[in-house]
Amino acid sequence: MTTMRDVAEHAGVSIATVSFVINNTKPVTQATRARIEASMEALGYRPNAVARALASRRTRVLALAYPALDHRLGGSGMEFMIAAARRAGEHGYHLMMWPGTNDGREMTDLLGQRMVDGVILMEVQLDDPRVRPLQASKTPYALIGRTADPSDSLHVDIDFEQTVTDAVRHLYDLGHRRIVLVTGTQVSESYYNYGPYVRTERAFVDVTARLGLEPVIVASGHDAGAGRELAQRLRTEQPDATAVVLLNEFAAIGLLIGLHHQQLRVPDDLSIVSMVTSDEMASLAEPTLTIMRSPGTELGELAVEHLVRQMTTGQRPDPVLLPSILVPGESTSPPPRTPIGRR
Amino acid sequence: MTTMRDVAEHAGVSIATVSFVINNTKPVTQATRARIEASMEALGYRPNAVARALASRRTRVLALAYPALDHRLGGSGMEFMIAAARRAGEHGYHLMMWPGTNDGREMTDLLGQRMVDGVILMEVQLDDPRVRPLQASKTPYALIGRTADPSDSLHVDIDFEQTVTDAVRHLYDLGHRRIVLVTGTQVSESYYNYGPYVRTERAFVDVTARLGLEPVIVASGHDAGAGRELAQRLRTEQPDATAVVLLNEFAAIGLLIGLHHQQLRVPDDLSIVSMVTSDEMASLAEPTLTIMRSPGTELGELAVEHLVRQMTTGQRPDPVLLPSILVPGESTSPPPRTPIGRR
DNA sequence: CTGAAAGCGCTAACAC
DNA sequence: GTGTTAGCGCTTTCAG
C-alpha cells in the first residue's frame, strides 16, 4: 500500500507538502505541485480515509438513522435513502446506514464511536428519544419529519398541513361535501404520536371547519387487505361519504379493489385521493390514482444539503416544508347523486 | 471526550490493560477487569471507532455498492438493503452505501481510501468492471448476482433457472401448452447482458424444450404502462398464448389492467405468473398475482453472512442460489378452451 | 497478568 | 513555500 511518505520521497518533498496539495490547504508552487501530482499518479496513491479522519477529527461520513423493524419505509422512504446517498456523495460524504430502535441509549453508543460527522433521522416521532443524545453530543443532525417543538432542530418535512388542505380543496371544488380522511391506526407503539398522522388529522379538522364540512376521520391498517375491508366499513359507517383521502398508498389501492368487488365504481360512486404516494404506485391502480405526490427525492437531497451547510457554516438553516403536488389521476370526479350508503 | 487514557488513569492501570479488557484479547484478573469496567461506566467511555480502525487496520464497515442512476432497485432491492444493514449490525459491522456507476476506476478510488473491510455488489452484470479492482485490492467481497464465470467470486443469487422452471411447470401442470415468457428490454446499456434476463431466458428455452413446448419470448418495458400495452401485443402477436410468465412486477400488474380493458378475464382467459415479486406487490393486483416470491431479505442476510464468514475464516464459502417460492394467487388456473387471439 | 512504547497514516501548528 | 514534528486514540508487540 502506498502512503503519503512514499509519495513524498518519490517527489523529493516532505509529507507536509504532499498534504498541502492534497487538501489545498497552503500555497504550493506550480512546479512542486506538478511534481507531487505526478508522483501520486505514478504510485497510484489514494489517501487513507481513516488516517485522515483520525488526524483531522472529521470522518466525512453521515449516518442515516431509521427504524430497523418497521416495514413502513415504503416507496418514498426508498427514494429518500437513495437520494440522500447520492447527494452526500456529491458533497464528498459517505452515507452510513443506522438501522435501530427508537432508542436514545443506542444513539448515544453510536455517537460515542465518533464515526460520523452528522446524522439524518428518519421517521421522527413527536417526542423522539434520539434527539436528546444528538444535542448532548453536539453532533450536527437533521430530522426528516418534526418533533413536537420543531424550532429546536434542523428539519425538512412534507408539508402535511398543506397537502391535506390541497387534497380536500380539490375534492371540495369538484363538489364533494362529505369527505372522509383515512389515517393509519396508531396501535403499535412506533405509530403512536406519529407526526404525519397527527399533523394531517389536525389540519384536516381545520380545513373542513373552514369549508363548513364535518371532519370525519377513520383509522385503517397499512396494507392492501385493510384497504379492501375499508370498502365495506365505509359503506356502513359512512353512508354519506362521496370522497376519501388516504394517508397510505397500499390501503388506497386495496380500497379500490374492495369497492370494485362491491360493484362500486371509482370515481363515479366514490372519489379517492391518495397522499404520500409515488407516480409508480399510482400507475399500478385501476383506475389510476389521483395522488398527492410525495417529494421523497427532494427531501433526501434537501436533508443532506442542509445538514452539510450547517456543518460548514456552523449556522442552522431554516426548516423546510415541501408541498406534495396534486397529480390528477382517474380516481376523482364530481360526487354521485346518491352516496354509496344510500342505495 | 473521554479517552482510553482517562479510563486507565481512573482505574489506575495502563492503557494497554484497558485495551485488553475491551477487546478481550489477553487474560486480565477479575479484579482489575471489574475496576476498569467500573471506570468505563463511570466516565461514560465509548471506544473511538476511527482510532481503532487505524491501529487495527480493520474498520468494521462493509460497503453496499449499487448503481446510482437506475431506479431498478424495486421492492426486493429495498428488502435486500434493509436486511443487509440489519444483519451487518448483528455481526458488529456498519453498512455504508456506495451509489455509483458500473465503473472500475471509481471502485478503485473507493477501495483505495481503505474505509471498508468488505464490499457487497448489487446488480452485477455478466461482465462487471467492478470485480477486477476488488480482486486486485484483495478486498473481500460478495456479489448479489453472478458474473459470467461464477466460480471466481463469492456470490449469492436468486436461482432464476429453478424459478422459471417451477413457474413453467406450475402452468404446465394446470394444462397450459402455450406459455410466453416476458423479459425486460435490453436496450439501455445497463440492462445489456443483465444476468437475470439472460439466465431466465436460457432456462426457459430448456424447460420448454423438455416439455415439448415452443419457447416463446417477448420483450417489454419495466413499468405498468408497458404492461398495459402488452395486453394488446399478446393478443395479436401471440394469439395462441394461454399463460404468461413475467420478470417484472410492474409490467405484470400493468398487463392485468390492460387485459381488463380488453374485457379479458384473468385467469379465465389468460393465466399470469409474476417472478421476482413480493407479497405486498401481489396483494395490490386484482386478481391477486400468483408469484414466484423473491427472497430479497434472505439474500441480504446471506450476503452479509457469507462475506463476514470469509473475512473471519479466510475461506470463501460456496455460492448460494436461493429458490423463489411459488405463492399461489388468483391469477392462474387451467387454460381456456379458446386462446385470447382466437375469438 | 500488566506495562512501556512503537506505530497506524495523516493533519496542522510552528519554524525556517 | 517548504520542512519538522507533535499529536489524533487506539492496538499490539515485547519485556518483565
Side-chain angles (χ1 to χ4, degrees), chain B residues 24-181:
Chain B
N24 211 358
T25 179
K26 279 205 175 180
V28 174
T29 43
Q30 190 50 49
T32 67
R33 150 158 306 172
R35 208 141 35 84
I36 290 171
E37 279 167 351
S39 295
M40 294 200 297
E41 181 66 36
L43 301 178
Y45 171 71
R46 303 277 185 312
N48 181 311
V50 179
R52 298 180 89 166
L54 182 59
S56 68
R57 264 147 301 228
R58 298 192 319 144
T59 63
R60 306 215 67 111
V61 175
L62 305 179
L64 184 65
Y66 59 91
L69 324 156
D70 257 325
H71 207 228
R72 189 196 304 159
L73 299 162
S76 59
M78 178 76 171
E79 280 178 22
F80 182 88
M81 294 180 103
I82 299 292
R86 185 167 15 79
R87 186 63 109 215
E90 289 163 8
H91 282 287
Y93 284 83
H94 289 286
L95 233 214
M96 186 168 270
M97 301 175 75
W98 273 5
T101 55
N102 270 20
D103 189 340
R105 166 73 185 194
E106 194 180 48
M107 184 55 67
T108 304
D109 284 340
L110 253 8
L111 291 171
Q113 305 189 192
R114 313 240 76 130
M115 210 180 230
V116 303
D117 293 342
V119 177
I120 296 173
L121 242 51
M122 292 180 74
E123 302 293 346
V124 174
Q125 289 177 272
L126 287 185
D127 181 17
D128 202 299
R130 299 170 298 177
V131 170
R132 189 169 298 285
L134 279 165
Q135 294 173 331
S137 73
K138 303 211 191 309
T139 308
Y141 67 95
L143 310 182
I144 157 76
R146 280 167 279 172
T147 54
D149 180 6
S151 70
D152 66 359
S153 299
L154 163 59
H155 65 268
V156 302
D157 198 2
I158 295 174
D159 189 339
F160 289 99
E161 289 83 349
Q162 186 67 49
T163 302
V164 73
T165 300
D166 289 350
V168 168
R169 187 78 218 188
H170 172 65
L171 292 166
Y172 185 89
D173 289 346
L174 284 171
H176 294 271
R177 294 297 177 268
R178 185 76 181 188
I179 301 169
V180 175
L181 176 70

Side-chain angles (χ1 to χ4, degrees), chain A residues 149-207:
Chain A
D149 180 7
S151 70
D152 65 0
S153 299
L154 163 59
H155 65 269
V156 302
D157 199 2
I158 296 175
D159 190 339
F160 289 100
E161 290 83 349
Q162 185 67 50
T163 302
V164 73
T165 301
D166 289 349
V168 168
R169 187 76 219 189
H170 173 64
L171 292 166
Y172 185 88
D173 289 346
L174 284 171
H176 293 272
R177 293 297 178 267
R178 185 76 180 187
I179 302 169
V180 175
L181 176 70
V182 177
T183 64
T185 51
Q186 300 196 17
V187 285
S188 79
E189 201 203 334
S190 67
Y191 277 103
Y192 181 69
N193 254 351
Y194 186 49
Y197 295 165
V198 175
R199 281 177 224 287
T200 304
E201 289 169 24
R202 203 179 297 152
F204 179 74
V205 171
D206 287 353
V207 63

Side-chain angles (χ1 to χ4, degrees), chain A residues 1 4 19 23 26 45 48 52 55:
Chain A
M1 202 193 42
M4 205 151 153
S19 176
N23 300 300
K26 279 204 174 181
Y45 171 71
N48 181 310
R52 298 179 88 168

Side-chain angles (χ1 to χ4, degrees), chain B residues 314-338:
Chain B
Q315 295 176 39
R316 188 200 305 159
D318 287 334
V320 180
L321 299 185
L322 289 185
S324 305
I325 296 175
L326 174 75
V327 182
E330 305 161 344
S331 67
T332 43
S333 74
R337 217 157 270 170
T338 318

